[in-house]
Amino acid sequence: MFMAKLMRWMLVLLLLSAGSVGAGWYYLQSWMNAPLSLEQPLLYQVQSGRSLRSVDQDLARQGVIDSPYLLYAYARLTQQAGLIKAGEYQLTPGTTVSEMLTMMQRGDVVRRAVTLVEGLRLADYIALLARQEGLKPTEAPLTTQFVAQALAIKSAPPEGWFFPDTYNYTRADSALDVLKRAHHKMNVVLKQEWENRQPDLPLKTPYEALVLASIVEKETGAPSERQQIAGVFVRRLAKKMRLQTDPTVIYGLGDSYKGNITRKHLRQMTPYNTYRIAGLPPTPIANPGREAIHAAVNPAPGKALYFVAMGDGRHQFSATLVEHNRAVKRYQLGARRSDYRSAPTQSADEG
């Protein structure tokens, strides 16, 4: 009789215990599926090596969750406590605790983007990256010399070696990491275009193609003209004519150029003054896009040896100096149109 009563009491206690466990588990799951206590988006950083337990406590201190123990307890019970990844996470109102945990397990970190525009110098890219939010500092000040050393670029300055494109990054990346990817992509694109170049070009190496492409990039923003511009330069190189292109002169002037090129500038001797030197300048003068590189190694056929800006972003091409002088007189020496511009409008560029 006694043993029967004892067994009944043990059964009751077991059922009560099981009921408590079940109720506790139900509460924990309900808590995990509740939204975070946020009234506005929050960028939350999980540092490398940080445990879920410390994250749990930190979120509770900030009032994002209402308990410093439940998240960690749930993760321990479901064997997920050691699976979170370092990084920056975007938490928004309505995000549940469970969704946040999944986000940290997957490493769904915030990704930002920066666009390196065609035709800019490396110094311009460095200045742009310095203004970007969410890039970690480099070990030394980011200069063109530091970039060249870090990426083992032998040409000095290391101009032209960074492919213009949009690059995604996270807080784990530095500006140098972005430039490293741009440098790698430029090597890939240049190799592809060089391998598919026209025969008998007056270009001996892929680097010379990169130099020419940078000049083409600076001379026109009109896609339809790139191969024509390249054709003029390739024919001038083949005939041993000087390139006589203003963008190289401007690059050689450096910071002394104030926005207006003069006859004095054209007479000034620098390694980049193609009115004074024969052949290509020693390095690229900007970072060209794929289209300019393709044009440099696949120039349009023709007889034109000269071109002059028409004032609407396009150019007049001429085969003889007489024709060219006539075009210069019409478009440059006469009264300029009121809407004169050296580059096409955005819509024209896209068309």
Side-chain angles (χ1 to χ4, degrees):
M1 187 73 175
F2 174 77
M3 291 300 297
K5 288 184 178 180
L6 179 61
M7 291 297 294
R8 284 197 298 269
W9 278 111
M10 289 180 66
L11 179 59
V12 170
L13 290 173
L14 182 61
L15 290 173
L16 288 173
S17 176
S20 298
V21 170
W25 178 245
Y26 176 79
Y27 172 79
L28 191 54
Q29 285 186 312
S30 298
W31 186 83
M32 288 294 296
N33 290 319
L36 300 171
S37 298
L38 291 174
E39 295 182 357
Q40 58 187 9
L42 171 69
L43 286 173
Y44 185 78
Q45 178 75 19
V46 177
Q47 301 292 344
S48 180
R50 198 171 184 188
S51 69
L52 179 60
R53 188 170 187 177
S54 67
V55 169
D56 188 1
Q57 294 171 343
D58 185 47
L59 289 170
R61 279 193 297 270
Q62 295 189 41
V64 178
I65 59 178
D66 58 12
S67 170
Y69 309 110
L70 293 181
L71 174 59
Y72 180 68
Y74 177 86
R76 283 294 302 271
L77 288 170
T78 56
Q79 299 182 339
Q80 301 179 71
L83 300 180
I84 65 168
K85 295 179 173 64
E88 183 182 33
Y89 296 92
Q90 176 76 67
L91 306 179
T92 58
T95 301
T96 67
V97 182
S98 179
E99 289 170 341
M100 179 187 68
L101 178 60
T102 300
M103 191 186 303
M104 293 179 177
Q105 290 169 341
R106 291 178 178 173
D108 293 338
V109 297
V110 173
R111 296 187 181 278
R112 296 179 175 85
V114 60
T115 299
L116 306 183
V117 179
E118 296 93 337
L120 297 184
R121 304 167 302 160
L122 173 58
D124 299 320
Y125 288 169
I126 290 174
L128 171 65
L129 291 168
R131 298 192 297 270
Q132 293 302 301
E133 180 186 3
L135 283 168
K136 72 178 184 181
T138 53
E139 60 187 29
L142 201 64
T143 63
T144 56
Q145 183 178 4
F146 173 75
V147 171
Q149 292 174 345
L151 302 184
I153 300 174
K154 295 181 180 179
S155 56
E159 202 68 83
W161 279 116
F162 303 89
F163 190 76
D165 204 350
T166 297
Y167 296 92
N168 294 321
Y169 65 90
T170 70
R171 277 202 180 272
D173 295 315
S174 67
L176 183 62
D177 292 322
V178 175
L179 291 173
K180 187 181 298 183
R181 293 201 291 270
H183 177 53
H184 172 74
K185 188 164 185 179
M186 180 60 84
N187 276 284
V188 171
V189 171
L190 183 60
K191 182 176 184 292
Q192 290 171 346
E193 294 295 339
W194 180 254
E195 289 175 349
N196 292 284
R197 69 190 183 279
Q198 288 181 11
D200 303 322
L201 292 174
L203 302 171
K204 298 177 183 178
T205 65
Y207 187 64
E208 288 188 354
L210 187 64
V211 175
L212 179 56
S214 73
I215 300 173
V216 173
E217 189 69 76
K218 294 297 290 184
E219 277 289 7
T220 183
S224 61
E225 285 191 342
R226 289 191 181 105
Q227 288 180 286
Q228 287 179 277
I229 296 283
V232 169
F233 288 139
V234 164
R235 285 187 286 277
R236 291 180 77 94
L237 288 171
K239 292 177 178 291
K240 308 298 183 184
M241 297 174 66
R242 291 178 181 174
L243 295 186
Q244 296 183 318
T245 171
D246 291 356
T248 63
V249 178
I250 293 169
Y251 186 84
L253 293 172
D255 294 336
S256 66
Y257 177 68
K258 303 302 180 183
N260 183 33
I261 194 165
T262 65
R263 291 186 180 275
K264 179 181 178 181
H265 292 146
L266 300 182
R267 292 192 297 266
Q268 185 174 333
M269 187 61 189
T270 76
Y272 293 88
N273 188 344
T274 50
Y275 287 85
R276 300 292 306 274
I277 66 167
L280 294 165
T283 73
I285 60 171
N287 292 282
R290 182 185 282 272
E291 292 79 6
I293 299 171
H294 180 79
V297 295
N298 291 280
K303 296 182 179 180
L305 292 170
Y306 308 89
F307 58 85
V308 63
M310 296 166 59
D312 62 355
R314 298 175 300 149
H315 295 82
Q316 176 68 48
F317 294 85
S318 304
T320 68
L321 185 58
V322 172
E323 293 174 352
H324 176 62
N325 287 337
R326 191 180 300 128
V328 169
K329 183 177 181 180
R330 177 181 178 183
Y331 295 111
Q332 295 291 320
L333 301 182
R336 285 193 173 187
R337 51 191 292 171
S338 59
D339 61 344
Y340 183 94
R341 61 184 185 276
S342 58
T345 61
Q346 186 66 25
S347 58
D349 187 49
E350 292 173 350

